[in-house]
Amino acid sequence: MGTPIIEIKDLRKVYRIGSEKVVALNSINLTIEKGECCCLLGTSGSGKSTLLNMMAGLEKPTKGTVAIRGELVNAMSEKKLARFRQDYLGFIFQSYNLLPSLSALENVSLPLTFKGISRRVREKRASKLLEAVGLGTRIKHKPSQMSGGQQQRVGIARAFAANPEIIFADEPTGNLDTKTTIEVMELMKNLARQKNQTLVIVTHDLEIASYADRIVRIRDGNIEGIEVKHMNESVGVVK
Ligand SMILES: Nc1ncnc2c1ncn2[C@@H]1O[C@H](COP(=O)(O)OP(=O)(O)O)[C@@H](O)[C@H]1O
Ligand SMILES: [Mg+2]
């Protein structure tokens, strides 16, 4: 066992719409270790995004706790959370979420502006990252001037810009073709490995999940099983 970085205990989320109740998460217990690449795998509506959003403090649980680096995320004020996210978390979205009026370089350096880093250093770091994701010749391009795969590589560079300890990605390859999906998955894994960063990736696709060190299967708001990938790439059921 490595060092736990995310600890989820008895996590429950019930949505109420009028008189109707939707149990999105039943009672989740899960520990994610520092440096691991963990995939949350399940069909649409199984509760994956709800779980990811609660880990990142984007939603409050109905019951239970989420601790990151030993700090209770569910108990933080909005102000504390905003700071905590800037310091420790990175996000990659299915729809890239780049700012359309900004260049690739500006999009990637944006998260660093909140950290009191000088413009020169920000731009240097951003252009190094864009080079690392294979976009060294596209730094002045706007999102609309790039393909989906290129935009997501900008999204990846942005997520890693502030060197977060944890990167959350919700269906990051959902809008990409097979070849680009493979490139994007490899890129995220390789970048994360370099600095022992933790990756939590949501997907409905077993092939994508097979990139992970560990697959957590979610079904109807429960953990159905956990599969650990061994060094020889075979997958064993742990549960
Ligand atoms: N804001 C919300 N209000 C009401 N129900 C929601 C909300 N978000 C998610 N749900 C419901 O919770 C369940 C899990 O949703 P979600 O976590 O988005 O699933 P997944 O990401 O696995 O597709 C679904 O039944 C969904 O309809
Ligand atoms: Mg989802």
Side-chain angles (χ1 to χ4, degrees), residues 34-35 125 128-129 160-165 167 189-198:
K34 187 167 171 56
R125 201 189 290 181
K128 260 181 97 175
L129 263 165
F160 281 87
N163 274 330
E165 287 190 26
I167 293 103
K189 270 196 78 172
N190 289 337
L191 281 174
R193 195 178 294 136
Q194 285 170 26
K195 288 184 179 140
N196 199 31
Q197 286 153 302
T198 308

Side-chain angles (χ1 to χ4, degrees), residues 38-219:
C38 179
C39 263
L40 308 177
L41 173 68
T43 53
S44 174
S46 56
K48 308 178 297 292
S49 295
T50 304
L51 181 53
L52 195 83
N53 291 346
M54 260 177 301
M55 284 188 211
L58 299 169
E59 288 185 69
K60 294 279 184 225
T62 305
K63 259 189 194 161
T65 56
V66 174
I68 295 184
R69 309 170 84 255
E71 290 197 71
L72 280 181
V73 170
N74 56 285
M76 286 179 195
S77 67
E78 281 306 317
K79 195 174 162 205
K80 172 92 208 272
L81 258 173
R83 182 68 203 269
F84 190 81
R85 282 192 208 105
Q86 273 174 33
D87 287 345
Y88 303 113
L89 311 182
F91 294 90
I92 299 168
F93 305 94
Q94 176 172 358
S95 48
Y96 325 129
N97 287 15
L98 302 176
L99 291 176
S101 61
L102 300 186
S103 67
L105 188 75
E106 290 164 337
N107 266 289
V108 175
S109 45
L110 193 63
L112 300 172
T113 56
F114 310 113
K115 305 201 114 197
I117 298 168
S118 76
R119 181 170 172 168
R120 231 174 59 95
V121 174
R122 285 199 311 261
E123 294 195 343
K124 202 171 159 203
R125 201 189 290 181
S127 65
K128 260 181 97 175
L129 263 165
L130 283 165
E131 242 167 68
V133 301
L135 292 176
T137 60
R138 299 285 190 280
I139 63 169
K140 296 225 170 89
H141 287 227
K142 300 263 169 74
S144 64
Q145 298 165 327
M146 288 183 280
S147 69
Q150 289 172 335
Q151 289 183 58
Q152 191 58 303
R153 284 191 267 158
V154 175
I156 291 168
R158 177 184 57 186
F160 281 87
N163 274 330
E165 287 190 26
I166 305 169
I167 293 103
F168 292 113
D170 195 343
E171 306 270 7
T173 62
N175 291 334
L176 304 175
D177 60 56
T178 311
K179 181 171 166 282
T180 314
T181 291
I182 294 168
E183 288 167 5
V184 159
M185 290 303 296
E186 296 281 358
L187 200 52
M188 287 193 298
K189 270 196 78 172
N190 289 337
L191 281 174
R193 195 178 294 136
Q194 285 170 26
K195 288 184 179 140
N196 199 31
Q197 286 153 302
T198 308
L199 261 181
V200 184
I201 303 171
V202 158
T203 182
H204 63 274
D205 185 336
L206 178 61
E207 264 185 67
I208 291 166
S210 66
Y211 280 86
D213 303 318
R214 211 153 59 110
I215 301 174
V216 178
R217 284 185 189 261
I218 312 284
R219 190 190 176 112

